[in-house]
Structures are given as structure tokens and as C-alpha cells.
Amino acid sequence: MEKDKNILIIGGGIAGLATAYYLKKGLQKGAGSCRITLIEKGSRLGGNIITERLDGFLIEGGPDCFLSEKPWALALCRELGIEEELLPTKKPSGTTYVYSDGRLHPLPEGIILMVPTKVLPLIRDSLISWRGKLRMAMEPFIPKRKETADESLAEFVRRRLGEEVLQKIAQPLVAGIHAGDPETMSVRASFPKFVEMEEKYGSLVRGMLHRMKAMRSMAKKKDGKRLTMFVALKSGMQLLVDTLTDRIKGDVTILKDTAVNRIEKEDHHYTVETEGGESLRAHALVVATPAWVAAELLEALDEELSGLLKSIPYVSTATVSLGYERDRLSHPMDGFGFVVPEKEGRTIMAATWTSSKWEGRAPEGKALIRCFVGGAKRGELVQLEDVELIRLVKKDLSDIMGIEEEPLFVRIYRWHRAMPQYTIGHIERVETIERLCASYSGLYLTGSAYHGIGISDTVREAESTAEKVIATLLG
Ligand SMILES: Cc1cc2nc3c(=O)[nH]c(=O)nc-3n(C[C@H](O)[C@H](O)[C@H](O)COP(=O)(O)OP(=O)(O)OC[C@H]3O[C@@H](n4cnc5c(N)ncnc54)[C@H](O)[C@@H]3O)c2cc1C
């Protein structure tokens, strides 16, 4: 490979950083050498990932963990030598509560996402009515859907498990993960495993029981200890960002405080213009920004591609973390936290009892609660002034958990248009985007907008993007 090829990566979130890392690794393995430059608009790297330490508390502003079932983030941590930092939850599976009709109900044991796998806990459960339980119990006998066209998550859950499960379990759980609206979300793109289970086993219950067997042999740590479903990092998610940055330093030029505002193609290279008026040349260009930013950058190059990228909706969310003296809270906080169905009309859509869920998040004798607000239905909350947002969150914590105590501190992180929504038709939309993109040799899109919204999916995509870049440059 020629030595003077330039690879530009736009965006210094986990997608851009991981792409840079895998590129560096691939090129070092003898695939050739190139100049790699990563351009980040902000003054810090990591995008949505940010960890803050405050008076002995460890606060995650954005993501606080990843799913161990999706192995790519774990594999990256191991490769980076931070395996010892992997932090399982305090308990392998903690109770999640659902706020309904004025009180918190434990989600019955054995309900995985929204699928029941145990009979007894369901019979004893106080959240779902008898009618709703009977409807749930019919799930294995509901015939498979014949049509193959995409379906909304809401329709899917209604069809298989009934309206009550949709309203009281699926909707709030999905809001807590995707900040999304099940009525518009694509079940195929957001929960492909559910569609697979229906297709393969004819039932979610049967499919989930099979899956649980497989999960028992779940990712194990080198010392043989089993990892829990959710895994964090002892020093916070920022460690992943910092370690990646450290590893690429020296081989990758990192330009911070540099916003790209236009991309153009000229013969065999791309020209990238920055807000500061600088012009950079690239033989390969990786756009690792949110899709709506990619749409703006690529508008002059390809209107159709830009239009499709723009049609991937994004929602805004905020996390509000509150620290307390533990003995001033009467609530037992005996679980991972709670979710709130939309019909309850609350500000908080989900809350994590962070100090109950993870070791080392609050000093001895203190408690940390992190609330999640905004999303597809209440995005306007993210715009509220701090004082008003805090007032509403405190009111909910008082009504839901009986907390009247003043917090030791409150930390708010606002995430504007940060969470992509995989709405009906997402898979086909992304296929067209990728087909159009492939017609521009050396142009790549990567990040959470396309094939999975979580950190682990984003890492997998970054690795595959790096492989494609290397293959093109070598070809
Ligand atoms: C509140 C919240 C909680 C979450 N919780 C979890 C969780 O617990 N577990 C999990 O797995 N995932 C979680 N996620 C999702 C996870 O954060 C994403 O999967 C991941 O961080 C996406 O990374 P990215 O690099 O694709 O995008 P981003 O992090 O958005 O990075 C994009 C980068 O591009 C930069 N950029 C934008 N425009 C330009 C420009 N014009 N020029 C140059 N640079 C530009 C931005 O500044 C940013 O740094 C959460 C997300 C949010 C918002």
C-alpha cells in the first residue's frame, strides 16, 4: 500500500475511537501504513460516554454498563488489558420494579424483558391483572405471524402477550433502554431475537427457555467467574474511552475542537472542510457521527443519501443523578431500580438505584440514584431549566419512593438528539443507505445509528468498518 494515504475519521465517540484503534491494529499487522486522523467537534473524546467523580461518588452521565451477552465490548476490554476492571452487578439478577397505580410492583421473577419463563412468581404477582395473566399464559398457543413485513414492537407485543403487558412492562422497559415509543419502533431492528424466537419456536416463552439454557454458559471471565447480564467498569465507562485514546496516541492524529461542516468528493479523494475553514484530504473517510450530522455533512455530495440519513429519528434524554445519606432514606432500594409506564404521567421514565446495583458508586453510608427523563414521548423535559427539572424529579422520587430528604448534590447531563430510533422499515432504510454509500469508494458510515444502539454493537460495527477500510485501501 502507498504510504501517503490519508484516512479521516469524523467523530470521537466510541464508534470513531474504536474504528481508529482497529485500523491501527490492522495496519500494524502488516496490512500497510497510512496516516490516520480523527476529528472531534468537542473538547473531549467519548461522545455520550462520560464519567464524573464527585465527593467519592462515581457518576455516569451517559451509558453506565454494557450487555455481556453481546461480546464485542467485553472482547475489546480484554484486548485493551482492562479485564480486571470489569464489574458485575452486586447481585446476578436484581429486581426491577414497575410503578403502577401509585406503588412499586416487583417485576415477577422469571420475566425476561417482557417474556414470562416461570409460572409461580407470575401467579403471585401484583402488577398484572388476572385477565392480563391469562392472556400472557396463552402466548405459546398464539400462531406465528404469516406476513414477513416489518411490524411495530407494540403490535408484536399486543399480538403475542396482550395489551396489559405492552402498557405495564414492554413500554416502560423499552423507554428505559431505547427511550423509544413501541408504537413506532421496528421489532425486527430493535429486538431481532424476539422475531427469531417466534419464527423458530413459534413462541416467545419457548424461545426464551431455550435461550436461557444458552445464557447459562454466558461469557465467563478468565478466572472462570460468570459475568452478570449487565457489566460496568470499576473506574467508570470513561476508562474505555481513555484506554482507547491512549492506545491510538502516536499513531493517530487527534484534532479536538474541530467541527467538520462539509464533505466533497474530488476524483480519487474526499475533501473535508472544517468550521475553522481548514481543508483536509482523505483517501478513505469514516463518518462516525450521529446519522443526522452525517446527513448535513453529506448533503452537498448526495441528496438522496443525506435524506435517508436524516430520516433516522433521534430523541433527546437527560440523566439526573442524586446523592443522599443512605440512613436518611427509608426506602429499602432492594433491587436495580424502577421503570414508569407512560400512562402514569410522570417525569421519570426509569431510575437506577445505582449504589444498590453496583459496587463502588457511592461512598460508605451514602446512596446514589440516577433518573432517566425525556425520550420519544417527553423530549421537551430535556429543555427545562435545571431548577424546574430537579423539582419535577424530586416530586416523583417523593411520590414513588417516599424521599423527602434534600439530596447532597444533583448532577444533570443532557443528551440532545443523541439516541437513534430504529423505527418501522429501519433495516431496509439502512440497506439503502449502505448501498448508496458503497457507490462512493472509500466512504464509510459507522456508529449506533445503523446496526445496534448499544456500546457493544457500536464496537462490533467499528471493527467491521476498519476491516472494510483496510480492504479497500489494499485493493
Ligand atoms: C443517556 C444515554 C444512556 C445510554 N446508556 C447506555 C448503556 O447503558 N449501555 C449501552 O450499551 N449504551 C448506552 N447508550 C448508547 C451508547 O451511548 C451509544 O451506543 C454509543 O455511545 C454511541 O457512540 P457513537 O460513537 O456512535 O456516537 P456518539 O457518542 O454520539 O459520538 C459521536 C461523536 O461525533 C462528534 N461529532 C458530532 N458532529 C461532529 C462534527 N460535525 N465534526 C466532528 N465531530 C462531530 C460528537 O461530538 C461525538 O463525540 C446510552 C446513550 C445515552 C445518550
Side-chain angles (χ1 to χ4, degrees):
M1 196 195 307
E2 288 172 49
K3 280 225 167 203
D4 61 348
K5 295 234 162 144
N6 289 336
I7 307 174
L8 288 191
I9 301 167
I10 308 175
I14 189 73
L17 287 169
T19 305
Y21 169 77
Y22 288 118
L23 273 172
K24 178 203 143 178
K25 186 179 148 192
L27 294 167
Q28 270 175 352
K29 269 191 183 164
S33 75
C34 293
R35 273 192 296 268
I36 309 171
T37 307
L38 184 143
I39 310 171
E40 166 54 45
K41 177 181 174 175
S43 55
R44 49 167 284 274
L45 297 169
N48 297 336
I49 302 174
I50 182 164
T51 307
E52 179 185 344
R53 283 192 177 69
L54 188 72
D55 300 334
F57 287 86
L58 189 147
I59 300 159
E60 296 287 10
D64 62 354
C65 61
F66 36 74
L67 274 177
S68 64
E69 206 198 347
K70 297 191 170 190
W72 306 282
L74 281 178
L76 178 60
C77 289
R78 289 182 176 129
E79 195 173 316
L80 293 171
I82 53 171
E83 179 170 11
E84 285 313 309
E85 280 277 335
L86 295 175
L87 179 68
T89 45
K90 277 187 185 174
K91 286 190 181 166
S93 56
T95 309
T96 295
Y97 290 80
V98 179
Y99 182 72
S100 180
D101 303 325
R103 71 181 178 98
L104 289 175
H105 303 257
L107 201 59
E109 193 200 327
I111 292 217
I112 302 185
L113 269 171
M114 56 212 78
V115 184
T117 59
K118 288 186 183 170
V119 178
L120 270 182
L122 197 61
I123 293 176
R124 287 195 293 259
D125 151 71
S126 62
L127 174 68
I128 305 286
S129 68
W130 277 107
R131 208 186 154 90
K133 284 177 193 167
L134 282 174
R135 179 61 184 81
M136 266 176 124
M138 280 164 58
E139 198 278 334
F141 311 104
I142 306 279
K144 272 196 224 183
R145 180 172 180 255
K146 292 201 179 71
E147 306 89 277
T148 50
D150 203 358
E151 188 183 21
S152 75
L153 177 67
E155 267 314 306
F156 180 86
V157 177
R158 234 178 239 128
R159 191 165 57 72
R160 297 229 54 96
L161 293 153
E163 183 70 29
E164 202 175 335
V165 172
L166 170 66
Q167 299 300 338
K168 291 188 175 166
I169 303 181
Q171 183 279 324
L173 284 182
V174 160
I177 306 168
H178 295 246
D181 173 8
E183 300 290 349
T184 57
M185 279 170 82
S186 152
V187 65
R188 279 190 184 279
S190 309
F191 292 95
K193 287 255 157 57
F194 282 173
V195 180
E196 234 177 83
M197 283 177 195
E198 182 179 39
E199 279 166 6
K200 196 165 166 195
Y201 302 101
S203 149
L204 295 181
V205 173
R206 277 197 294 274
M208 195 55 93
L209 290 170
H210 273 89
R211 190 169 165 210
M212 278 166 65
K213 265 196 214 154
M215 277 163 76
R216 280 188 209 116
S217 56
M218 196 167 39
K220 292 197 176 163
K221 280 177 64 168
K222 263 195 207 143
D223 61 7
K225 260 195 260 158
R226 186 183 282 189
L227 284 175
T228 47
M229 186 192 238
F230 304 105
V231 178
L233 293 172
K234 286 177 195 160
S235 319
M237 301 306 279
Q238 179 81 41
L239 180 75
L240 182 55
V241 171
D242 295 346
T243 314
L244 275 173
T245 310
D246 206 49
R247 287 307 160 82
I248 60 175
K249 225 169 41 195
D251 296 287
V252 176
T253 308
I254 298 176
L255 305 176
K256 290 195 235 174
D257 294 310
T258 308
V260 171
N261 59 9
R262 194 181 167 87
I263 295 169
E264 279 179 14
K265 179 144 175 58
E266 287 168 36
D267 298 331
H268 298 294
H269 68 268
Y270 294 88
T271 305
V272 167
E273 283 174 23
T274 70
E275 239 168 47
E278 231 186 312
S279 189
L280 299 146
R281 266 164 70 102
H283 298 92
L285 181 61
V286 179
V287 184
T289 63
W292 59 272
V293 177
E296 286 167 12
L297 302 184
L298 293 165
E299 200 163 1
L301 185 73
D302 189 319
E303 262 184 50
E304 190 186 356
L305 175 60
S306 166
L308 280 164
L309 285 165
K310 218 175 279 170
S311 71
I312 298 177
Y314 272 72
V315 299
S316 301
T317 57
T319 59
V320 182
S321 294
L322 305 96
Y324 293 97
E325 295 288 353
R326 180 65 187 96
D327 61 2
R328 308 297 282 269
L329 308 182
S330 57
H331 197 281
M333 290 171 62
D334 52 350
F336 286 174
F338 63 87
V339 293
V340 186
E342 188 200 333
K343 71 177 184 56
E344 298 294 326
R346 291 286 167 176
T347 301
I348 297 177
M349 55 180 169
T352 306
W353 294 331
T354 307
S355 47
S356 301
K357 188 170 177 180
W358 308 105
E359 217 49 84
R361 268 33 186 170
E364 196 59 37
K366 311 269 197 270
L368 181 62
I369 301 176
R370 187 173 94 144
C371 306
F372 197 40
V373 305
K377 290 300 186 77
R378 303 292 310 272
E380 74 285 356
L381 289 170
V382 180
Q383 314 291 339
L384 292 176
E385 297 282 329
D386 283 8
V387 180
E388 183 58 5
L389 185 55
I390 294 169
R391 186 186 69 77
L392 291 172
V393 164
K394 278 171 36 183
K395 162 107 179 61
D396 275 6
L397 290 178
S398 156
D399 294 346
I400 297 173
M401 294 176 63
I403 298 180
E404 302 298 341
E405 181 72 10
E406 273 307 302
L408 299 167
F409 65 83
V410 184
R411 286 295 287 132
I412 301 176
Y413 282 89
R414 290 183 172 79
W415 301 105
H416 296 285
R417 294 178 79 189
M419 292 187 100
Q421 301 293 296
Y422 293 4
T423 52
I424 298 168
H426 179 83
I427 294 178
E428 292 74 23
R429 201 171 300 128
V430 170
E431 272 168 15
T432 315
I433 287 174
E434 289 182 340
R435 188 170 42 73
L436 290 173
C437 193
S439 66
Y440 295 93
S441 170
L443 178 66
Y444 308 88
L445 295 163
T446 199
S448 61
Y450 312 104
H451 296 284
I453 58 154
I455 293 177
S456 214
D457 299 298
T458 309
V459 166
R460 181 200 59 213
E461 282 305 298
E463 185 169 15
S464 132
T465 304
E467 281 163 7
K468 285 183 208 151
V469 174
I470 293 172
T472 309
L473 290 179
L474 282 175

